[in-house]
Amino acid sequence: MLFRSPSPTVASGANHTHTATQVSDSTATGRALVTAASDAAALERVTRGRRWPAKAATLLLWECNESTGTVVNYGSLGTAGDLTVGAGAVRRARPLLSTIGPGLGTDHGDTTSDATGAAGCRATTGTAVTLWWIGTLAGDAGGTKWTLIARDHASPGSFPAPYICVMLSLASGVLRAEINDGTTYVALASGLATPAANVQHLIGLTYNGSTLKLWLDGAEAATASVAGSIDWGDTDALWHISGNGGGAERATAVTLRAGLENVVWTADDWVEAWQRMRGDWVE
């Protein structure tokens, strides 16, 4: 994964670079125009505007940029939605192309590289659901499967079929929206090319009781007719950023934000989220 250097550099001719603390004006005073502190503060102000706040229908909203402690839930379910960070996860990992600052770095090969918790947190209905994830992917998952975000169906300690309630994943280069519709396990695969590696993406799903849709970067990527209602499973089932209750399928990725909405986002909602994230949205 490509992470932003903790000491930003600015090119200064062939074979020369300077750290941000060394950039100054041409006057005799040598007054610094950019410092590490001012650069970080300015970046924080810019990225904060691209992280839209929780809305009335937002149940779970994880910013994933904490330096210590839990991954805090800013949605309406409050602290019940907090996640515990695994020892193998990298806090405040900053992808080079992130427009919204740092996130939580995880690695497919590390069984502790995740964030888990929010037991019992679920939507109040199984027919008006939006699940979304913003982050960067380190590749196409090869011949494996990377779970970006998921809620288990069963209590901790077991992972029987139908395995999950909702999940976003990348399997052998193919994005998938996966749900348990109350009867069967449904996996909707994107027909698009594998999302570019190390580039920030907005990935999500919506389900309204009759149609399951997969979304990528503000546009619909796949759709399928699926009648039913999401079965939210056991009341103490857990949420996972990277991986699931099966103890595998962790993602080599940086999760920058993720959330669960108690409503079905429209096409306009996805466009707005994509543009806000990029800094293109105009009120």
Side-chain angles (χ1 to χ4, degrees):
M1 287 181 288
L2 296 176
F3 291 174
R4 190 181 302 277
S5 168
S7 298
T9 59
V10 179
S12 179
N15 303 318
H16 295 283
T17 60
H18 297 287
T19 65
T21 54
Q22 295 173 320
V23 179
S24 60
D25 65 16
S26 59
T27 67
T29 64
R31 178 178 58 86
L33 297 179
V34 180
T35 67
S38 67
D39 182 57
L43 182 61
E44 193 68 26
R45 286 193 295 272
V46 170
T47 57
R48 192 181 304 124
R50 294 171 180 171
R51 291 175 177 260
W52 63 88
K55 301 178 181 179
T58 305
L59 302 173
L60 299 171
L61 172 58
W62 296 298
E63 296 291 0
C64 301
N65 59 1
E66 294 83 0
S67 58
T68 61
T70 60
V71 174
V72 176
N73 171 41
Y74 292 92
S76 63
L77 294 180
T79 57
D82 292 353
L83 304 176
T84 299
V85 179
V90 179
R91 294 176 180 274
R92 293 188 65 79
R94 188 187 295 275
L96 287 175
L97 299 180
S98 171
T99 64
I100 59 175
L104 188 70
T106 53
D107 187 340
H108 177 73
D110 189 329
T111 58
T112 64
S113 193
D114 55 18
T116 304
C121 293
R122 61 175 94 182
T124 59
T125 174
T127 57
V129 177
T130 297
L131 180 67
W132 56 272
W133 179 93
I134 294 175
T136 61
L137 303 164
D140 64 2
T144 66
K145 182 176 180 179
W146 295 349
T147 296
L148 307 180
I149 183 170
R151 185 184 192 270
D152 297 334
H153 188 261
S155 300
S158 61
F159 196 59
Y163 311 111
I164 54 90
C165 305
V166 291
M167 179 163 69
L168 294 170
S169 67
L170 180 72
S172 300
V174 179
L175 279 180
R176 307 203 317 182
E178 305 175 55
I179 67 168
N180 164 22
D181 69 356
T183 304
T184 57
Y185 175 85
V186 179
L188 173 62
S190 167
L192 303 178
T194 302
N198 301 311
V199 174
Q200 185 173 273
H201 294 290
L202 168 62
I203 299 168
L205 66 79
T206 54
Y207 184 63
N208 65 2
S210 61
T211 304
L212 174 63
K213 292 186 177 184
L214 173 63
W215 300 83
L216 173 64
D217 296 343
E220 184 179 310
T223 184
S225 296
V226 180
S229 177
I230 292 175
D231 179 358
W232 290 106
D234 294 342
T235 57
D236 60 347
L238 299 177
W239 284 90
H240 305 262
I241 289 178
S242 178
N244 52 53
E249 299 180 359
R250 288 172 178 81
T252 303
V254 178
T255 301
L256 298 169
R257 305 185 83 201
L260 175 71
E261 312 288 335
N262 210 35
V263 67
V264 175
W265 277 7
T266 66
D268 287 345
D269 292 328
W270 286 104
V271 170
E272 178 179 340
W274 171 242
Q275 292 182 348
R276 283 187 183 278
M277 180 195 77
R278 289 164 49 90
D280 299 334
W281 179 255
V282 178
E283 295 289 353

